[in-house]
Amino acid sequence: MLTLGVDLASADERTALALVEWTGASAVVRDLRLGASDPELIDAIRAADKAGLDCPLGWPSLFTDFVAAQRTGNWQPVPADAAWRRGLAYRVTDLVVRAEAGLNPLSVAADRIAYVAFRGANLLAHLAAVGIPIDRTGAGRVVEVYPAAALRRWGLTHRGYKRPGQASLVDELQAAAPWLDLGAFEPLARRSHDAFDALIAALATRAAALGLALPPTVAQLEAARAEGWIALPTSELGDLVPST
């Protein structure tokens, strides 16, 4: 199995991808790079069995309905309370991650992560145009991942890890996953948090591919199809490789 992790940014130079090959009881990093363009990402996703994007795959339904109503002038006044504003700002999956992992994903409707989501939406359109079906629940080739939440679920450092001095994070990951072979890509993982995020995204993608991530409930499925769904790992990190 080949899993791809993408730390998507609004610009190519901050976009990283990681390709991991899973064979037997080991995992080998086959590619890790910065500066990935859309054509490179499309080619990499087409070559992978499963690809995880660290990027919102949609917007809150209440937000999109609100914006559409604003455009046509067909809106109705509602109590502008905290719950209403929260519904505009956060997707169902964001609230689930907050409840399950104690982390607050950035709001794609009210934060700068929207710039990344613009690029992500266009990338999904290009993928669909070359014949890759898009299912924002994560059931298809592409799944949404959140590296910080994956690190939290695996008991690894997940707060403040993007500050300088992240080399110890690679040591921590290698101690927890001795079966992961970084090879010649270890220096890049140590010096770039974007590359490290892409690597964690590839591991979280493996969890999704194995069915070891929290799926939407029946009640959440409609929202997940429209808004996207974060694949939050439900297993230990060691469960990503078969027992020896």
Side-chain angles (χ1 to χ4, degrees), residues 174-199:
Q174 289 179 320
W179 37 262
L180 179 63
D181 182 2
L182 298 178
F185 302 106
E186 182 176 334
L188 179 57
R190 288 183 177 277
R191 72 172 181 265
S192 167
H193 67 74
D194 297 315
F196 182 79
D197 260 0
L199 178 58

Side-chain angles (χ1 to χ4, degrees), residues 63-87:
F63 172 76
T64 56
D65 291 346
F66 179 71
V67 171
Q70 287 284 320
R71 176 181 175 86
T72 63
N74 184 30
W75 70 87
Q76 300 296 322
V78 298
D81 56 12
W84 177 73
R85 290 190 294 271
R86 188 164 55 249

Side-chain angles (χ1 to χ4, degrees), residues 21-48:
E21 182 179 13
W22 304 83
T23 56
S26 66
V28 180
V29 178
R30 296 302 185 190
D31 194 5
L32 183 64
R33 68 177 107 148
L34 289 170
S37 65
D38 283 359
E40 289 175 310
L41 293 174
I42 291 169
D43 287 344
I45 291 170
R46 294 179 75 177

Side-chain angles (χ1 to χ4, degrees), residues 12-219:
D12 290 359
E13 58 265 25
R14 290 291 308 278
T15 297
L17 67 79
L19 184 67
V20 178
E21 182 179 13
W22 304 83
T23 56
S26 66
V28 180
V29 178
R30 296 302 185 190
D31 194 5
L32 183 64
R33 68 177 107 148
L34 289 170
S37 65
D38 283 359
E40 289 175 310
L41 293 174
I42 291 169
D43 287 344
I45 291 170
R46 294 179 75 177
D49 294 297
K50 191 83 169 178
L53 301 186
D54 178 15
C55 167
L57 298 188
W59 279 260
S61 294
L62 184 62
F63 172 76
T64 56
D65 291 346
F66 179 71
V67 171
Q70 287 284 320
R71 176 181 175 86
T72 63
N74 184 30
W75 70 87
Q76 300 296 322
V78 298
D81 56 12
W84 177 73
R85 290 190 294 271
R86 188 164 55 249
L88 288 175
Y90 294 103
R91 302 172 296 161
V92 170
T93 190
D94 299 327
L95 301 179
V96 170
V97 167
R98 179 178 181 179
E100 293 285 337
L103 295 175
N104 292 313
L106 294 175
S107 166
V108 66
D111 210 308
R112 287 180 293 178
I113 192 68
Y115 286 99
V116 180
F118 296 155
R119 184 183 182 189
N122 189 49
L123 182 61
L124 295 184
H126 280 283
L127 290 169
V130 295
I132 296 179
I134 300 302
D135 185 333
R136 283 180 280 194
T137 69
R141 179 81 58 88
V142 177
V143 64
E144 182 178 341
V145 295
Y146 182 17
L151 289 168
R152 170 71 176 82
R153 294 300 284 255
W154 292 329
L156 303 176
T157 299
H158 62 283
R159 294 189 185 277
Y161 70 95
K162 296 187 179 184
R163 291 193 289 265
Q166 70 162 45
S168 61
L169 293 174
V170 176
D171 294 332
E172 188 178 346
L173 177 61
Q174 289 179 320
W179 37 262
L180 179 63
D181 182 2
L182 298 178
F185 302 106
E186 182 176 334
L188 179 57
R190 288 183 177 277
R191 72 172 181 265
S192 167
H193 67 74
D194 297 315
F196 182 79
D197 260 0
L199 178 58
I200 299 303
L203 301 183
T205 301
R206 168 73 168 180
L210 295 179
L212 300 176
L214 187 69
T217 65
V218 172

